[in-house]
Amino acid sequence: MVTKQIRDELSENADLRRADSLAREIFSDVANKWALLIIEALGERTLRFSELRDEVEGVSHKMLTQNLRMLERNGLVDRTVHPTVPPKVEYTLTEPGRALRATVDAICGWTHQYLGHIEAARGRFGT
């Protein structure tokens, strides 16, 4: 027979495992070059697809589309379609997307702060 305490502990562990699994999945999704650059490019702005493509240097149409869909699926980007001919589609960061952008900005700041150290270390390895 399972006591209430054991049942509650099992439930808490299941919730923690689910949260951990979700966190890993989201991190895997957003921790790629294009997603981070898209988040940074959007910032506090709303941009159309072509504007985003111009902002994110080197991104292909396919990669931009895939990453925007993934960011939208994870609730980090809102996609708004205006009923015009041709359709006008705009993208903007959601509140969680803006919060993630603050983290991305912190990583960029860390990179700038330690750039000399990183370059020196890579130089020792010939990279």
Side-chain angles (χ1 to χ4, degrees), residues 48-108:
R48 295 181 67 181
F49 185 90
S50 59
E51 293 171 324
L52 257 175
R53 193 176 56 226
D54 292 344
E55 287 285 322
V56 181
E57 188 175 323
V59 69
S60 68
H61 186 279
K62 178 182 175 181
M63 289 308 296
L64 183 56
T65 299
Q66 287 177 352
N67 277 275
L68 284 168
R69 286 180 183 160
M70 174 274 299
L71 291 169
E72 184 180 9
R73 182 181 70 245
N74 284 309
L76 302 173
V77 168
D78 275 334
R79 178 179 182 263
T80 305
V81 180
H82 300 279
T84 60
V85 177
K88 180 180 177 184
V89 182
E90 295 178 324
Y91 298 90
T92 189
L93 291 177
T94 61
E95 190 276 322
R98 289 189 300 276
L100 179 57
R101 182 172 178 261
T103 303
V104 171
D105 287 345
I107 292 169
C108 290

Coordinates of all heavy atoms in Angstrom, one line a residue, residues 48-108:
R48 N 9.2 42.0 -40.2 CA 8.7 41.1 -41.2 C 9.8 40.1 -41.5 O 10.9 40.3 -41.2 CB 8.3 41.9 -42.4 CG 7.1 42.9 -42.1 CD 6.7 43.6 -43.3 NE 6.1 42.7 -44.3 CZ 5.6 43.0 -45.5 NH1 5.7 44.3 -45.8 NH2 5.1 42.2 -46.3
F49 N 9.3 39.0 -42.2 CA 10.3 37.9 -42.5 C 11.5 38.5 -43.3 O 12.6 38.2 -42.9 CB 9.5 36.9 -43.3 CG 10.4 35.7 -43.6 CD1 10.4 34.6 -42.8 CD2 11.2 35.6 -44.8 CE1 11.1 33.5 -43.0 CE2 11.9 34.5 -45.0 CZ 11.9 33.4 -44.1
S50 N 11.2 39.3 -44.3 CA 12.3 39.8 -45.1 C 13.3 40.7 -44.3 O 14.5 40.7 -44.5 CB 11.8 40.5 -46.4 OG 11.0 41.6 -46.0
E51 N 12.7 41.5 -43.4 CA 13.5 42.3 -42.5 C 14.4 41.5 -41.6 O 15.6 41.8 -41.4 CB 12.6 43.3 -41.7 CG 11.9 44.3 -42.5 CD 10.9 45.0 -41.7 OE1 10.2 44.4 -40.8 OE2 10.7 46.2 -42.0
L52 N 13.8 40.4 -41.1 CA 14.6 39.5 -40.2 C 15.7 38.8 -41.0 O 16.8 38.7 -40.6 CB 13.7 38.4 -39.7 CG 13.3 38.5 -38.2 CD1 12.3 37.5 -37.9 CD2 14.4 38.6 -37.3
R53 N 15.4 38.4 -42.3 CA 16.4 37.8 -43.1 C 17.6 38.7 -43.4 O 18.7 38.4 -43.4 CB 15.8 37.3 -44.4 CG 16.7 36.4 -45.2 CD 16.1 35.8 -46.4 NE 15.6 36.9 -47.3 CZ 14.4 36.9 -47.9 NH1 13.6 35.9 -47.7 NH2 14.1 37.9 -48.6
D54 N 17.3 40.0 -43.5 CA 18.3 41.0 -43.8 C 19.1 41.3 -42.5 O 20.3 41.5 -42.6 CB 17.7 42.3 -44.2 CG 17.1 42.3 -45.6 OD1 17.4 41.3 -46.4 OD2 16.3 43.2 -46.0
E55 N 18.5 41.2 -41.3 CA 19.2 41.4 -40.1 C 20.1 40.3 -39.7 O 21.1 40.5 -39.1 CB 18.1 41.6 -38.9 CG 17.4 43.0 -39.0 CD 18.3 44.1 -38.5 OE1 19.1 43.9 -37.5 OE2 18.2 45.2 -39.1
V56 N 19.7 39.1 -39.9 CA 20.4 37.9 -39.5 C 21.3 37.5 -40.7 O 20.9 36.7 -41.6 CB 19.5 36.7 -39.1 CG1 20.3 35.5 -38.6 CG2 18.6 37.2 -38.0
E57 N 22.5 38.0 -40.8 CA 23.4 37.8 -41.9 C 23.7 36.3 -42.1 O 24.1 35.6 -41.2 CB 24.7 38.6 -41.7 CG 25.6 38.6 -42.8 CD 26.8 39.5 -42.6 OE1 26.6 40.5 -41.9 OE2 27.9 39.1 -43.0
G58 N 23.5 35.8 -43.3 CA 23.9 34.5 -43.7 C 22.8 33.4 -43.5 O 23.0 32.3 -43.9
V59 N 21.7 33.8 -42.9 CA 20.6 32.8 -42.7 C 19.9 32.5 -44.0 O 19.6 33.5 -44.7 CB 19.7 33.2 -41.6 CG1 18.8 34.4 -42.0 CG2 18.8 32.0 -41.1
S60 N 19.6 31.3 -44.3 CA 18.9 30.9 -45.5 C 17.4 31.1 -45.2 O 17.0 31.1 -44.0 CB 19.2 29.5 -46.0 OG 18.7 28.6 -45.0
H61 N 16.6 31.1 -46.2 CA 15.1 31.2 -46.1 C 14.6 30.0 -45.3 O 13.8 30.1 -44.4 CB 14.5 31.2 -47.5 CG 13.1 31.4 -47.5 ND1 12.2 30.4 -47.3 CD2 12.3 32.6 -47.7 CE1 10.9 30.9 -47.4 NE2 11.0 32.2 -47.6
K62 N 15.2 28.8 -45.6 CA 14.7 27.6 -45.0 C 15.1 27.6 -43.5 O 14.2 27.3 -42.6 CB 15.4 26.4 -45.6 CG 15.1 25.1 -45.0 CD 15.8 23.9 -45.7 CE 15.6 22.6 -45.0 NZ 16.3 21.5 -45.6
M63 N 16.3 28.0 -43.1 CA 16.7 28.0 -41.7 C 16.0 29.0 -40.9 O 15.6 28.8 -39.8 CB 18.2 28.2 -41.6 CG 19.1 27.0 -42.1 SD 18.6 25.5 -41.3 CE 18.9 25.7 -39.6
L64 N 15.7 30.2 -41.5 CA 14.9 31.2 -40.9 C 13.5 30.7 -40.6 O 13.0 30.9 -39.5 CB 14.9 32.5 -41.7 CG 14.2 33.7 -41.0 CD1 14.8 34.0 -39.7 CD2 14.3 34.9 -42.0
T65 N 12.9 30.1 -41.6 CA 11.6 29.6 -41.4 C 11.5 28.5 -40.3 O 10.6 28.5 -39.5 CB 11.1 29.0 -42.8 OG1 11.0 30.0 -43.8 CG2 9.7 28.4 -42.6
Q66 N 12.4 27.6 -40.4 CA 12.5 26.5 -39.4 C 12.6 27.0 -38.0 O 12.0 26.6 -37.0 CB 13.6 25.5 -39.7 CG 13.3 24.6 -40.8 CD 14.5 23.7 -41.2 OE1 15.6 23.8 -40.6 NE2 14.3 22.8 -42.1
N67 N 13.5 28.0 -37.8 CA 13.8 28.5 -36.5 C 12.6 29.4 -36.0 O 12.3 29.4 -34.8 CB 15.1 29.3 -36.5 CG 16.3 28.3 -36.3 OD1 16.6 28.0 -35.2 ND2 16.9 27.9 -37.4
L68 N 12.0 30.2 -36.9 CA 10.9 31.0 -36.4 C 9.7 30.0 -36.0 O 9.1 30.3 -35.0 CB 10.4 31.9 -37.6 CG 11.3 33.1 -37.8 CD1 10.9 33.8 -39.1 CD2 11.2 34.1 -36.6
R69 N 9.5 29.0 -36.7 CA 8.5 28.0 -36.3 C 8.8 27.4 -35.0 O 7.9 27.2 -34.1 CB 8.3 26.9 -37.4 CG 7.6 27.4 -38.6 CD 7.5 26.3 -39.6 NE 6.9 26.8 -40.9 CZ 7.0 26.2 -42.0 NH1 7.6 25.0 -42.2 NH2 6.4 26.7 -43.1
M70 N 10.0 27.0 -34.7 CA 10.4 26.4 -33.5 C 10.3 27.4 -32.3 O 9.7 27.1 -31.3 CB 11.9 25.9 -33.6 CG 12.5 25.4 -32.2 SD 13.2 26.7 -31.2 CE 14.5 27.3 -32.3
L71 N 10.7 28.7 -32.6 CA 10.5 29.7 -31.5 C 9.1 30.0 -31.2 O 8.7 30.2 -30.1 CB 11.3 31.0 -32.0 CG 12.8 30.9 -32.0 CD1 13.4 32.1 -32.7 CD2 13.4 30.7 -30.6
E72 N 8.2 30.0 -32.3 CA 6.8 30.2 -32.1 C 6.2 29.0 -31.3 O 5.4 29.2 -30.4 CB 6.1 30.3 -33.4 CG 4.6 30.6 -33.3 CD 3.9 30.8 -34.7 OE1 4.6 30.5 -35.7 OE2 2.8 31.2 -34.6
R73 N 6.6 27.8 -31.7 CA 6.1 26.6 -31.0 C 6.4 26.6 -29.5 O 5.7 26.1 -28.7 CB 6.7 25.3 -31.7 CG 6.2 24.0 -31.0 CD 6.8 22.8 -31.7 NE 8.2 22.6 -31.3 CZ 9.2 22.7 -32.2 NH1 9.0 22.9 -33.5 NH2 10.5 22.6 -31.8
N74 N 7.6 27.1 -29.2 CA 8.0 27.2 -27.8 C 7.5 28.4 -27.0 O 7.9 28.7 -25.9 CB 9.6 27.1 -27.7 CG 10.1 25.7 -27.9 OD1 9.6 24.8 -27.2 ND2 11.0 25.5 -28.8
G75 N 6.7 29.2 -27.7 CA 6.1 30.4 -27.1 C 7.0 31.6 -26.9 O 6.8 32.5 -26.1
L76 N 8.1 31.6 -27.7 CA 9.1 32.7 -27.6 C 8.9 33.8 -28.6 O 9.3 34.9 -28.4 CB 10.5 32.2 -27.7 CG 10.8 31.1 -26.7 CD1 12.2 30.5 -27.0 CD2 10.8 31.6 -25.3
V77 N 8.2 33.5 -29.7 CA 7.9 34.5 -30.8 C 6.4 34.4 -31.1 O 5.8 33.3 -31.2 CB 8.7 34.1 -32.0 CG1 8.3 34.9 -33.2 CG2 10.2 34.4 -31.8
D78 N 5.8 35.6 -31.3 CA 4.5 35.7 -31.8 C 4.5 36.0 -33.3 O 5.3 36.8 -33.7 CB 3.7 36.8 -31.1 CG 3.1 36.4 -29.8 OD1 2.8 35.2 -29.7 OD2 2.9 37.3 -29.0
R79 N 3.7 35.3 -34.1 CA 3.6 35.5 -35.5 C 2.2 36.1 -35.8 O 1.2 35.5 -35.4 CB 3.7 34.1 -36.2 CG 3.6 34.2 -37.7 CD 3.8 32.8 -38.2 NE 3.8 32.7 -39.7 CZ 2.7 32.4 -40.4 NH1 1.6 32.0 -39.7 NH2 2.7 32.4 -41.7
T80 N 2.2 37.2 -36.4 CA 0.9 37.9 -36.8 C 0.8 38.0 -38.3 O 1.7 38.5 -38.9 CB 0.9 39.3 -36.1 OG1 1.1 39.2 -34.7 CG2 -0.5 40.0 -36.4
V81 N -0.3 37.5 -38.8 CA -0.6 37.5 -40.2 C -1.6 38.6 -40.5 O -2.7 38.5 -39.9 CB -1.0 36.1 -40.8 CG1 -1.3 36.2 -42.3 CG2 0.0 35.1 -40.5
H82 N -1.3 39.5 -41.3 CA -2.3 40.6 -41.7 C -2.9 40.2 -43.0 O -2.2 39.9 -43.9 CB -1.6 41.9 -41.8 CG -0.9 42.4 -40.5 ND1 -1.6 43.0 -39.5 CD2 0.3 42.3 -40.1 CE1 -0.8 43.2 -38.5 NE2 0.4 42.8 -38.8
P83 N -4.3 40.2 -43.1 CA -5.0 39.8 -44.3 C -4.9 40.8 -45.4 O -5.8 41.5 -45.7 CB -6.4 39.6 -43.8 CG -6.5 40.6 -42.7 CD -5.2 40.7 -42.0
T84 N -3.7 40.9 -46.0 CA -3.5 41.8 -47.1 C -3.0 40.9 -48.3 O -2.7 39.7 -48.1 CB -2.4 42.8 -46.8 OG1 -1.2 42.1 -46.5 CG2 -2.8 43.7 -45.7
V85 N -2.9 41.5 -49.5 CA -2.4 40.8 -50.6 C -1.1 41.5 -51.1 O -1.2 42.7 -51.5 CB -3.4 40.7 -51.8 CG1 -2.8 40.1 -53.0 CG2 -4.7 40.0 -51.3
P86 N 0.1 40.9 -51.0 CA 0.3 39.6 -50.4 C 0.2 39.7 -48.9 O 0.3 40.8 -48.4 CB 1.8 39.3 -50.9 CG 2.4 40.7 -51.1 CD 1.3 41.6 -51.5
P87 N 0.1 38.6 -48.2 CA -0.1 38.6 -46.8 C 1.2 39.2 -46.1 O 2.3 39.0 -46.6 CB -0.1 37.1 -46.4 CG -0.5 36.4 -47.7 CD 0.0 37.2 -48.8
K88 N 0.9 40.0 -45.1 CA 2.0 40.7 -44.4 C 2.1 39.9 -43.1 O 1.1 39.8 -42.3 CB 1.6 42.1 -44.1 CG 2.6 42.9 -43.3 CD 2.2 44.3 -43.0 CE 3.2 45.0 -42.2 NZ 2.7 46.4 -41.9
V89 N 3.3 39.3 -42.8 CA 3.5 38.5 -41.6 C 4.6 39.2 -40.8 O 5.7 39.6 -41.3 CB 4.0 37.1 -42.0 CG1 4.2 36.2 -40.8 CG2 3.0 36.4 -42.9
E90 N 4.3 39.4 -39.5 CA 5.2 40.0 -38.6 C 5.6 39.1 -37.4 O 4.7 38.3 -37.0 CB 4.6 41.3 -38.1 CG 4.4 42.4 -39.2 CD 3.8 43.6 -38.6 OE1 2.9 43.5 -37.7 OE2 4.1 44.7 -39.1
Y91 N 6.8 39.3 -36.9 CA 7.3 38.5 -35.8 C 7.7 39.4 -34.7 O 8.3 40.5 -35.0 CB 8.4 37.6 -36.2 CG 8.1 36.6 -37.3 CD1 8.2 37.0 -38.7 CD2 7.6 35.4 -37.0 CE1 7.8 36.1 -39.7 CE2 7.2 34.5 -38.0 CZ 7.3 34.8 -39.3 OH 7.0 34.0 -40.3
T92 N 7.4 39.0 -33.5 CA 7.8 39.8 -32.3 C 8.1 38.8 -31.2 O 7.5 37.8 -31.1 CB 6.8 40.9 -31.9 OG1 7.3 41.7 -30.9 CG2 5.5 40.2 -31.4
L93 N 9.0 39.2 -30.3 CA 9.2 38.4 -29.1 C 8.1 38.5 -28.1 O 7.5 39.5 -27.9 CB 10.5 38.8 -28.4 CG 11.8 38.5 -29.1 CD1 13.0 39.1 -28.3 CD2 12.0 37.1 -29.4
T94 N 7.7 37.3 -27.5 CA 6.8 37.3 -26.4 C 7.5 37.7 -25.1 O 8.7 37.9 -25.1 CB 6.2 35.9 -26.2 OG1 7.3 35.0 -25.9 CG2 5.5 35.4 -27.5
E95 N 6.8 37.8 -24.0 CA 7.4 38.2 -22.8 C 8.5 37.1 -22.4 O 9.6 37.5 -22.0 CB 6.4 38.3 -21.7 CG 6.9 38.9 -20.4 CD 7.6 37.9 -19.5 OE1 7.0 36.7 -19.4 OE2 8.6 38.2 -18.9
P96 N 8.2 35.8 -22.5 CA 9.3 34.8 -22.3 C 10.5 35.0 -23.2 O 11.6 34.8 -22.9 CB 8.7 33.5 -22.4 CG 7.2 33.7 -22.2 CD 7.0 35.1 -22.7
G97 N 10.2 35.4 -24.5 CA 11.2 35.6 -25.5 C 12.1 36.8 -25.1 O 13.3 36.7 -25.3
R98 N 11.5 37.8 -24.6 CA 12.3 39.0 -24.2 C 13.1 38.6 -23.0 O 14.2 39.1 -22.8 CB 11.3 40.2 -23.9 CG 10.7 40.8 -25.2 CD 10.0 42.1 -24.9 NE 8.9 42.0 -24.0 CZ 7.7 41.5 -24.3 NH1 7.4 41.3 -25.6 NH2 6.7 41.5 -23.4
A99 N 12.6 37.8 -22.1 CA 13.4 37.4 -20.9 C 14.6 36.6 -21.3 O 15.7 36.7 -20.8 CB 12.5 36.6 -19.9
L100 N 14.4 35.7 -22.3 CA 15.5 34.9 -22.9 C 16.5 35.8 -23.5 O 17.7 35.6 -23.4 CB 15.0 33.8 -23.9 CG 16.0 33.0 -24.5 CD1 16.8 32.2 -23.4 CD2 15.4 32.0 -25.5
R101 N 16.0 36.8 -24.2 CA 16.9 37.8 -24.8 C 17.9 38.4 -23.8 O 19.0 38.7 -24.1 CB 16.2 38.9 -25.6 CG 17.1 39.8 -26.3 CD 16.4 40.8 -27.2 NE 17.3 41.7 -27.8 CZ 17.5 42.9 -27.4 NH1 16.9 43.4 -26.3 NH2 18.4 43.7 -28.0
A102 N 17.4 38.7 -22.6 CA 18.2 39.3 -21.6 C 19.3 38.3 -21.2 O 20.5 38.7 -21.0 CB 17.4 39.6 -20.3
T103 N 19.0 37.0 -21.3 CA 20.1 36.0 -21.0 C 21.1 36.0 -22.2 O 22.3 35.9 -22.0 CB 19.4 34.6 -20.8 OG1 18.5 34.7 -19.7 CG2 20.4 33.6 -20.5
V104 N 20.5 36.1 -23.4 CA 21.4 36.1 -24.6 C 22.3 37.3 -24.5 O 23.5 37.2 -24.8 CB 20.6 36.1 -25.9 CG1 21.5 36.3 -27.1 CG2 19.8 34.8 -26.0
D105 N 21.8 38.4 -24.1 CA 22.6 39.7 -24.0 C 23.7 39.4 -22.9 O 24.8 39.9 -23.1 CB 21.7 40.9 -23.6 CG 20.9 41.4 -24.7 OD1 21.2 41.0 -25.9 OD2 19.9 42.1 -24.5
A106 N 23.4 38.8 -21.8 CA 24.4 38.5 -20.8 C 25.5 37.6 -21.3 O 26.7 37.8 -21.0 CB 23.7 37.8 -19.6
I107 N 25.1 36.6 -22.1 CA 26.1 35.7 -22.8 C 27.0 36.5 -23.7 O 28.2 36.4 -23.7 CB 25.5 34.5 -23.5 CG1 24.8 33.6 -22.5 CG2 26.5 33.8 -24.3 CD1 23.9 32.6 -23.1
C108 N 26.4 37.4 -24.5 CA 27.2 38.3 -25.4 C 28.1 39.2 -24.6 O 29.3 39.4 -25.0 CB 26.3 39.1 -26.2 SG 25.4 38.2 -27.5

